[in-house]
Amino acid sequence: MVDFPPRRKPSRKGSMADVPQDLLEQIKELERLFTVDQVKLKEVTEHFVKELEKGDLEGGSIPMNPTWVMGYPDGYETGTFLALDMGGTNLRVCEIILPEEKGEFEIIQSKYRMPEELKTGDSEELWEYIADCLQQFIEYHHELEDLEQMNSVNTKLPLGFTFSFPATQDFIDHGVLQRWTKGFDISGVEGKDVAPLFEAALEKRKLPIKLSALINDTTGTLIASHYTDDTMQIGCIFGTGCNAAYMETCGSVPKIAHCNLPTDMPIAINCEYGAFDNEHVVLPRTPFDVVIDNDSPRPGQQAFEKMIAGLYLGELFRLVLVDLHDNKCGLFEKQDISKLRKAYSLDASFLSFIEEDPFENLSETSELFAKELSIHASKPELELCRRLAELIGTRAARLSACGVAAICKKKSIEKCRVGADGSVFNKYPHFKARGAQALREILDWPQGKRDPVDIRAAEDGSGVGAALIAALTIKRVKAGNLAGIRNTVGMV
């Protein structure tokens, strides 16, 4: 997760009247590099549709992972469930109560910082830390006697585990990690089923917890959003990473044909489309995007994500500024930019702050550069930085719309709501409006009418969504519908 500052008043429009000619020329070049016009948006979207279809057939770079979430909740699911959310910056543990009132829920939660050293550390240390956090949570929120009683009668709290990394699932309660993303690179986990590793850490502490479902945050976003609004047909994440999920029919997913499921049975697909265009066929990459890819832990992977996700926006901004200082127009001339040279020293919140500076003289941006980077920028230099932030933020929002449009085209969806979550979508200024404008351009909607595909803030997918999917799994076990469920012991 990218940490953004509190939202401020709408930003002012800048003026280039006092910008010298050499800086103006650099700004024009940056506009050329980072602007994605309607023609390119449509080209990207058409290729996106083909790659989504290729993923259904076990080909292409987009995995299109079946999740074994077989349909939407009806709003009448009940019970108490745990949810564990492992994503970018934090580990979150929730207890969710689904009452008898349709579409309602109650939640209590705690966040635990994910130590940076764990992200590139040892596998066992990771699972031990996660189990420690779960233990702290249930011991704080439950009486010790209750926990002992649960263990004595072998009653366990059902848990939905939001594991927000690409994973192949033959069953809903297991998942083989395909590859680490979001800056994680822990040895000994890729290619392995993470469920037994997690369950072993729980068993070591004798915690009364049953892993009922392993899900992706995007699938959880789809399910949680539909739970409160049944017009939601797509779930998206635009945060540290990017992804989407939607409901398909089993007959349209050849890779699960061997399961002999009814062709009209619904199944949620976790696209993992951050990997779109890893082959670099259509995305409008700049030389700076190439540097980000080459210097990343996984060069050649997650091409789409590296152009739109919050983890990379600040680094893109930083690389451009360093290049302008060293090679182009002498930006920040005769100043020490050693802090700016540190890789990933800026995140998306830095750009957000610049875009929201409400003052004509960009005084808040000036203070930001002085405080964070020890750089004292001139007014023209600040104007360039402001325009660069706008260009990077706008490109990310416009490209993000291509994935949504591609799913709509693939499924012939003409009207729906899209539930979106993630720090960039929720907090980056103008991201929603820029993305909506791009959708209009891609799908050729008439001017002056309400957008038929409306991207809105989602419900809590990684918390409430995980609990709902655990509830749906248990409901299926009770009904005898065991497709895609490996271990039913302890579920009912």
Side-chain angles (χ1 to χ4, degrees):
M1 185 181 75
V2 179
D3 293 322
F4 285 83
R7 294 299 295 268
R8 294 175 290 161
K9 293 180 180 180
S11 53
R12 93 320 173 234
K13 297 291 183 182
S15 169
M16 295 292 176
D18 55 353
V19 177
Q21 187 62 33
D22 60 339
L23 287 186
L24 280 175
E25 290 175 0
Q26 291 303 322
I27 290 170
K28 288 179 181 178
E29 174 62 12
L30 293 173
E31 289 173 342
R32 185 190 68 79
L33 282 174
F34 287 99
T35 298
V36 185
D37 63 17
Q38 183 182 25
V39 173
K40 190 63 178 179
L41 287 174
K42 289 188 174 186
E43 183 187 356
V44 171
T45 301
E46 290 306 315
H47 189 63
F48 219 130
V49 174
K50 293 175 184 176
E51 290 299 302
L52 293 174
E53 292 170 344
K54 198 184 292 184
D56 287 335
L57 296 164
E58 295 276 19
S61 55
I62 303 178
M64 301 293 282
N65 294 326
T67 65
W68 303 103
V69 178
M70 316 299 282
Y72 291 116
D74 59 18
Y76 293 105
E77 290 74 17
T78 60
T80 300
F81 303 87
L82 293 178
L84 173 65
D85 175 17
M86 177 186 166
T89 309
N90 297 313
L91 189 73
R92 185 167 62 116
V93 183
C94 312
E95 183 170 283
I96 292 105
I97 298 172
L98 303 177
E100 293 184 358
E101 293 82 9
K102 183 178 181 180
E104 298 293 323
F105 61 86
E106 301 169 19
I107 182 170
I108 55 174
Q109 60 186 315
S110 296
K111 285 185 178 180
Y112 305 87
R113 189 80 176 176
M114 181 70 77
E116 285 299 317
E117 59 270 19
L118 279 185
K119 295 182 181 181
T120 54
D122 176 77
S123 170
E124 186 175 351
E125 290 176 351
L126 172 70
W127 303 114
E128 292 286 329
Y129 177 76
I130 292 171
D132 282 341
C133 294
L134 273 167
Q135 183 169 8
Q136 288 178 42
F137 180 87
I138 64 171
E139 287 180 352
Y140 182 82
H141 292 289
H142 291 267
E143 296 293 335
L144 183 60
E145 294 81 3
D146 293 339
L147 296 176
E148 291 174 347
Q149 173 69 13
M150 291 172 72
N151 272 322
S152 67
V153 297
N154 202 29
T155 300
K156 296 188 176 183
L157 289 165
L159 178 139
F161 181 6
T162 302
F163 184 71
S164 301
F165 302 90
T168 303
Q169 291 187 267
D170 294 325
F171 305 94
I172 197 168
D173 49 344
H174 99 136
V176 175
L177 176 66
Q178 293 170 326
R179 62 187 176 278
W180 287 115
T181 57
K182 305 178 186 178
F184 280 74
D185 191 17
I186 300 169
S187 61
V189 186
E190 289 184 340
K192 292 187 178 179
D193 186 354
V194 300
L197 301 173
F198 172 61
E199 290 170 325
L202 297 180
E203 179 60 30
K204 185 176 179 180
R205 288 160 179 74
K206 303 298 181 185
L207 297 178
I209 295 171
K210 167 65 179 176
L211 175 62
S212 300
L214 183 78
I215 74 159
N216 182 276
D217 57 349
T218 320
T219 310
T221 296
L222 171 67
I223 297 301
S225 297
H226 191 90
Y227 180 68
T228 57
D229 179 355
D230 61 12
T231 66
M232 294 280 189
Q233 294 187 46
I234 301 171
C236 292
I237 299 292
F238 304 116
T240 308
C242 70
N243 195 14
Y246 69 99
M247 201 65 71
E248 190 55 271
T249 55
C250 290
S252 300
V253 189
K255 66 175 69 174
I256 61 170
H258 63 281
C259 298
N260 297 316
L261 299 170
T263 57
D264 61 348
M265 178 179 284
I267 182 168
I269 298 296
N270 167 30
C271 299
E272 290 296 349
Y273 69 23
F276 167 64
D277 201 31
N278 281 348
E279 303 82 8
H280 311 314
V281 173
V282 71
L283 286 173
R285 298 205 306 165
T286 70
F288 307 103
D289 296 300
V290 174
V291 171
I292 283 180
D293 184 34
N294 290 342
D295 292 348
S296 70
R298 293 287 191 274
Q301 296 183 17
Q302 301 300 103
F304 187 56
E305 182 170 285
K306 287 170 181 171
M307 294 182 73
I308 73 171
L311 180 62
Y312 304 101
L313 300 185
E315 180 64 1
L316 194 58
F317 181 81
R318 187 194 70 81
L319 286 171
V320 175
L321 294 186
V322 171
D323 181 67
L324 290 174
H325 173 85
D326 291 348
N327 305 316
K328 299 290 195 313
C329 60
L331 190 75
F332 312 136
E333 193 172 11
K334 297 180 181 178
Q335 294 207 51
D336 178 8
I337 67 161
S338 54
K339 290 184 178 180
L340 186 62
R341 292 190 187 280
K342 183 180 177 183
Y344 289 92
S345 54
L346 308 181
D347 63 17
S349 66
F350 195 92
L351 279 69
S352 172
F353 193 96
I354 294 171
E355 283 218 53
E356 290 194 307
D357 189 339
F359 298 107
E360 284 291 335
N361 64 356
L362 293 171
S363 58
E364 292 191 352
T365 303
S366 177
E367 291 170 7
L368 179 69
F369 271 82
K371 179 182 176 183
E372 300 296 330
L373 300 171
S374 300
I375 291 173
H376 300 281
S378 67
K379 174 65 163 38
E381 290 172 335
L382 293 172
E383 289 289 357
L384 181 146
C385 293
R386 167 66 169 238
R387 185 64 182 129
L388 176 60
E390 291 172 347
L391 288 167
I392 292 172
T394 299
R395 188 188 73 163
R398 287 174 67 80
L399 286 176
S400 74
C402 295
V404 176
I407 293 173
C408 290
K409 282 177 167 284
K410 180 180 186 293
K411 292 294 294 175
S412 299
I413 297 171
E414 295 184 355
K415 184 177 181 180
C416 76
R417 286 179 178 165
V418 178
D421 202 358
S423 53
V424 174
F425 179 81
N426 289 323
K427 296 180 179 179
Y428 195 95
H430 318 303
F431 189 90
K432 298 175 192 177
R434 290 164 175 169
Q437 175 59 35
L439 267 182
R440 293 183 202 111
E441 294 176 31
I442 297 167
L443 299 174
D444 293 314
W445 296 331
Q447 292 291 330
K449 292 189 177 182
R450 181 175 294 180
D451 293 350
V453 177
D454 183 12
I455 305 179
R456 298 191 172 198
E459 286 293 347
D460 174 15
S462 51
V464 175
L468 284 166
I469 291 170
L472 287 170
T473 305
I474 292 169
K475 183 189 284 189
R476 286 209 290 128
V477 171
K478 290 179 179 178
N481 178 7
L482 304 182
I485 303 174
R486 180 176 60 178
N487 182 10
T488 62
V489 176
M491 282 201 190
V492 293

